[in-house]
Amino acid sequence: MDLTTPLGDQIKKLYQLFKASHSYFKDESGANLHIEFIPNGFDVNSDEQANYLASICYHIKRGIWKKTVAALNKLVPGDELDVDVDKMISSYFLGSKYSDAEKRIEHFQKERNPFILEVLAYTMVYNIEYTPNMNLTLKAMNKVHLSAKIPGLDVAALACTPELDYYLIIGEAKNRETPSEGTKEAFDAFNRHCKGSTTADIRQEMSLLAESADLLDLNGNELCEKISKETIWKDRYIYRITLEHQSVRPHGGSQFKDYTNYLENVTEAERKQGEAFGTERLTKFYNKVSQIILDHIDNKGVDLSA
């Protein structure tokens, strides 16, 4: 567990370990439809990756999180950590508040595991800076929901071009038992955004993000005013899906191929993105990450029976 490296550096390092590449999914005529990023280096057996992910999850659960990349890169955790919070974190990753085994498993499947996948989704947001033909720089990220049951965007971030044209990054992370159900849920949500029915909700979330942004080229108040104008919403969404899937390339092609059916008005392939952590079910990996957190708390001498 890394308690000295700034959180932003840990997130970026984990992303670098994934060694992501990208490919376009094309239609029969050869036209680009959307982009898939492939985390080639993702390894469920890697202790280094599990330790980075555990450290990131632990710091987020501690509330040690800033909303801008610049602030993340400067952040150093405090020396003293509250014991009661450690107990709550331990209970969350262990599921100890559930005496019934089935309810504990349900907690893992619907709460703990989706939380860890959301952290992976935020890690993969760095793909934005490697999106072809856009020349984007990641400027700010919203904080990860402390509970996967909290409504709202799984991922929210801001990126801009050198000309300060801002793009709103909207992401969904899904780990459904049947992956196609997760992609459909994400596409349904994206479709609502695309049609403008959630503009007010997104504007509020992005404005809160902008107000707290510590940007080098535009202060938070100016950015908030800028993105509050209606023109910023037209053709400025970048949609992202992070999916837990048993196969990197399922039969029939891309697991994100229905992007076209749901987002007919989004013609640029670069604004429709997705990645699948393609391996057998990630339950063992989630358990491994959780155990690292539990061991860390236990080694601190926290009495979890009190």
Side-chain angles (χ1 to χ4, degrees):
M1 183 79 71
D2 189 340
L3 298 179
T4 58
T5 303
L7 181 57
D9 290 345
Q10 293 188 51
I11 294 173
K12 198 157 193 176
K13 177 61 177 177
L14 182 59
Y15 171 75
Q16 291 169 345
L17 291 174
F18 290 162
K19 299 177 181 177
S21 62
H22 73 271
S23 64
Y24 283 97
F25 187 77
K26 302 176 182 291
D27 64 15
E28 293 179 356
S29 69
N32 295 330
L33 296 178
H34 65 262
I35 288 181
E36 287 192 61
F37 288 93
I38 301 97
N40 300 292
F42 176 65
D43 183 2
V44 294
N45 297 311
S46 168
D47 291 339
E48 183 180 22
Q49 292 183 25
N51 274 288
Y52 269 119
L53 185 54
S55 181
I56 294 165
C57 289
Y58 177 73
H59 282 75
I60 291 171
K61 282 292 184 181
R62 291 285 333 177
I64 306 172
W65 175 272
K66 295 293 184 182
K67 295 178 180 174
T68 69
V69 175
L72 281 172
N73 286 335
K74 299 174 185 175
L75 181 62
V76 177
D79 295 328
E80 297 297 329
L81 300 177
D82 184 73
V83 171
D84 288 339
V85 177
D86 270 345
K87 289 182 179 180
M88 287 188 289
I89 293 172
S90 177
S91 176
Y92 181 86
F93 286 99
L94 183 62
S96 58
K97 70 184 252 184
Y98 302 98
S99 57
D100 182 79
E102 290 187 5
K103 291 208 174 282
R104 188 179 302 114
I105 292 173
E106 182 180 3
H107 164 72
F108 292 155
Q109 292 175 339
K110 296 184 177 181
E111 178 66 29
R112 185 200 68 178
N113 296 355
F115 167 77
I116 298 175
L117 185 64
E118 282 192 24
V119 176
L120 288 172
Y122 264 94
T123 302
M124 294 297 282
V125 166
Y126 278 103
N127 282 326
I128 288 297
E129 297 192 342
Y130 301 93
T131 301
N133 305 318
M134 296 198 75
N135 195 16
L136 293 173
T137 299
L138 185 61
K139 287 295 182 180
M141 291 190 289
N142 210 345
K143 58 185 177 182
V144 176
H145 293 154
L146 294 180
S147 170
K149 295 180 180 180
I150 296 175
L153 302 174
D154 290 344
V155 172
L158 287 170
C160 77
T161 67
E163 296 74 30
L164 295 186
D165 292 326
Y166 277 83
Y167 284 81
L168 311 182
I169 301 156
I170 297 170
E172 295 284 339
K174 301 298 179 185
N175 71 326
R176 300 294 182 262
E177 187 70 28
T178 302
S180 59
E181 294 178 0
T183 53
K184 183 180 184 306
E185 289 175 23
F187 290 137
D188 284 337
F190 291 165
N191 204 32
R192 292 192 294 272
H193 303 324
C194 187
K195 291 180 177 179
S197 60
T198 60
T199 296
D201 295 332
I202 292 180
R203 179 185 287 115
Q204 181 182 40
E205 186 155 0
M206 288 299 183
S207 294
L208 290 171
L209 173 60
E211 286 172 352
S212 64
D214 179 21
L215 303 180
L216 299 177
D217 47 21
L218 197 63
N219 70 44
N221 290 333
E222 290 174 348
L223 177 59
C224 184
E225 181 179 352
K226 181 179 177 70
I227 70 172
S228 293
K229 297 177 181 178
E230 191 66 30
T231 53
I232 194 65
W233 306 99
K234 183 175 176 58
D235 299 328
R236 292 290 178 83
Y237 290 128
I238 295 177
Y239 300 94
R240 305 201 83 261
I241 301 177
T242 303
L243 184 66
E244 177 188 333
H245 203 293
Q246 294 179 359
S247 170
V248 176
R249 302 291 294 182
H251 180 70
S254 170
Q255 52 264 68
F256 308 111
K257 61 185 177 182
D258 286 338
Y259 253 130
T260 303
N261 298 332
Y262 283 84
L263 299 178
E264 297 177 356
N265 296 330
V266 182
T267 58
E268 305 96 325
E270 291 80 7
R271 292 201 294 121
K272 297 177 288 186
Q273 304 184 2
E275 62 260 340
F277 284 89
T279 181
E280 62 187 36
R281 299 298 297 186
L282 295 180
T283 302
K284 291 182 179 179
F285 184 63
Y286 296 142
N287 289 341
K288 181 177 182 178
V289 169
S290 298
Q291 191 60 52
I292 292 170
I293 296 171
L294 295 170
D295 290 344
H296 169 72
I297 294 173
D298 184 59
N299 291 334
K300 288 168 61 180
V302 176
D303 184 2
L304 299 178
S305 64

PDB file of all heavy atoms in Angstrom, residues 38 59 89 91 96 112 115:
ATOM      1  N   ILE A  38      -7.764  -0.888 -25.652  1.00  0.00           N
ATOM      2  CA  ILE A  38      -7.476  -2.236 -25.155  1.00  0.00           C
ATOM      3  C   ILE A  38      -6.397  -2.148 -24.082  1.00  0.00           C
ATOM      4  O   ILE A  38      -5.261  -1.755 -24.372  1.00  0.00           O
ATOM      5  CB  ILE A  38      -6.995  -3.163 -26.299  1.00  0.00           C
ATOM      6  CG1 ILE A  38      -8.059  -3.253 -27.397  1.00  0.00           C
ATOM      7  CG2 ILE A  38      -6.696  -4.560 -25.755  1.00  0.00           C
ATOM      8  CD1 ILE A  38      -7.839  -2.332 -28.554  1.00  0.00           C
ATOM      9  N   HIS A  59      -7.497   5.379  -0.573  1.00  0.00           N
ATOM     10  CA  HIS A  59      -7.418   6.830  -0.452  1.00  0.00           C
ATOM     11  C   HIS A  59      -8.742   7.500  -0.798  1.00  0.00           C
ATOM     12  O   HIS A  59      -9.146   8.474  -0.151  1.00  0.00           O
ATOM     13  CB  HIS A  59      -6.301   7.376  -1.346  1.00  0.00           C
ATOM     14  CG  HIS A  59      -4.942   7.194  -0.782  1.00  0.00           C
ATOM     15  ND1 HIS A  59      -4.301   5.981  -0.767  1.00  0.00           N
ATOM     16  CD2 HIS A  59      -4.097   8.065  -0.166  1.00  0.00           C
ATOM     17  CE1 HIS A  59      -3.109   6.115  -0.193  1.00  0.00           C
ATOM     18  NE2 HIS A  59      -2.967   7.364   0.171  1.00  0.00           N
ATOM     19  N   ILE A  89     -14.237   1.342   6.379  1.00  0.00           N
ATOM     20  CA  ILE A  89     -13.640   0.868   5.128  1.00  0.00           C
ATOM     21  C   ILE A  89     -13.461  -0.645   5.168  1.00  0.00           C
ATOM     22  O   ILE A  89     -13.755  -1.357   4.204  1.00  0.00           O
ATOM     23  CB  ILE A  89     -12.291   1.568   4.876  1.00  0.00           C
ATOM     24  CG1 ILE A  89     -12.515   3.060   4.618  1.00  0.00           C
ATOM     25  CG2 ILE A  89     -11.552   0.934   3.695  1.00  0.00           C
ATOM     26  CD1 ILE A  89     -11.233   3.871   4.539  1.00  0.00           C
ATOM     27  N   SER A  91     -15.165  -2.794   6.929  1.00  0.00           N
ATOM     28  CA  SER A  91     -16.484  -3.423   6.833  1.00  0.00           C
ATOM     29  C   SER A  91     -16.975  -3.438   5.387  1.00  0.00           C
ATOM     30  O   SER A  91     -17.570  -4.422   4.930  1.00  0.00           O
ATOM     31  CB  SER A  91     -17.483  -2.667   7.717  1.00  0.00           C
ATOM     32  OG  SER A  91     -18.781  -3.198   7.576  1.00  0.00           O
ATOM     33  N   SER A  96     -18.544  -7.287   6.341  1.00  0.00           N
ATOM     34  CA  SER A  96     -18.759  -7.869   7.671  1.00  0.00           C
ATOM     35  C   SER A  96     -20.089  -7.480   8.295  1.00  0.00           C
ATOM     36  O   SER A  96     -20.539  -8.117   9.237  1.00  0.00           O
ATOM     37  CB  SER A  96     -17.616  -7.465   8.605  1.00  0.00           C
ATOM     38  OG  SER A  96     -17.500  -6.068   8.700  1.00  0.00           O
ATOM     39  N   ARG A 112     -19.478  -3.363  -3.773  1.00  0.00           N
ATOM     40  CA  ARG A 112     -18.024  -3.289  -3.712  1.00  0.00           C
ATOM     41  C   ARG A 112     -17.373  -3.428  -5.088  1.00  0.00           C
ATOM     42  O   ARG A 112     -16.538  -2.605  -5.477  1.00  0.00           O
ATOM     43  CB  ARG A 112     -17.481  -4.374  -2.773  1.00  0.00           C
ATOM     44  CG  ARG A 112     -15.976  -4.300  -2.549  1.00  0.00           C
ATOM     45  CD  ARG A 112     -15.412  -5.626  -2.046  1.00  0.00           C
ATOM     46  NE  ARG A 112     -15.470  -6.673  -3.067  1.00  0.00           N
ATOM     47  CZ  ARG A 112     -15.010  -7.906  -2.875  1.00  0.00           C
ATOM     48  NH1 ARG A 112     -14.493  -8.249  -1.709  1.00  0.00           N
ATOM     49  NH2 ARG A 112     -15.080  -8.805  -3.846  1.00  0.00           N
ATOM     50  N   PHE A 115     -17.809  -0.474  -7.379  1.00  0.00           N
ATOM     51  CA  PHE A 115     -16.975   0.643  -6.933  1.00  0.00           C
ATOM     52  C   PHE A 115     -15.546   0.495  -7.468  1.00  0.00           C
ATOM     53  O   PHE A 115     -14.964   1.447  -7.994  1.00  0.00           O
ATOM     54  CB  PHE A 115     -16.951   0.721  -5.402  1.00  0.00           C
ATOM     55  CG  PHE A 115     -15.880   1.646  -4.862  1.00  0.00           C
ATOM     56  CD1 PHE A 115     -16.052   3.016  -4.886  1.00  0.00           C
ATOM     57  CD2 PHE A 115     -14.700   1.136  -4.347  1.00  0.00           C
ATOM     58  CE1 PHE A 115     -15.057   3.863  -4.414  1.00  0.00           C
ATOM     59  CE2 PHE A 115     -13.700   1.972  -3.865  1.00  0.00           C
ATOM     60  CZ  PHE A 115     -13.884   3.347  -3.904  1.00  0.00           C
TER      61      PHE A 115
END
